Amino acid sequence: MSHPEPDELFRARILRVVADNERHLVRMAYGAHLDHIGRKYGRFRTGVPLKGFDAFKDYNTGGEA
């Protein structure tokens, strides 16, 4: 299994593909929030989504967080 990237490296990778109106969010985000933004753009810390891992499911409303 790959080791997850630290926030700084992951942020730099996301900034290459993120929409201009969300750049400020990426610059301020860390941890799970950064993961969520990356997921929106098909970017994952491990390079691929991990099978069976959905850390962003909102179980209170049944939707995505």
Side-chain angles (χ1 to χ4, degrees):
M1 180 201 263
S2 299
H3 294 287
E5 293 175 300
D7 283 349
E8 296 79 23
L9 294 176
F10 189 49
R11 182 177 293 112
R13 207 159 50 90
I14 294 172
L15 281 170
R16 293 183 212 145
V17 297
V18 74
D20 288 337
N21 63 340
E22 290 188 325
R23 287 185 176 276
H24 69 283
L25 296 174
V26 174
R27 288 187 178 115
M28 295 182 344
Y30 61 92
H33 298 289
L34 194 58
D35 291 337
H36 182 71
I37 295 169
R39 183 181 182 94
K40 179 178 177 181
Y41 289 92
R43 300 298 187 265
F44 305 92
R45 287 183 193 261
T46 58
V48 295
L50 299 176
K51 184 177 180 179
F53 180 70
D54 190 8
F56 308 106
K57 188 78 171 168
D58 182 357
Y59 293 103
N60 293 328
T61 63
E64 297 256 343

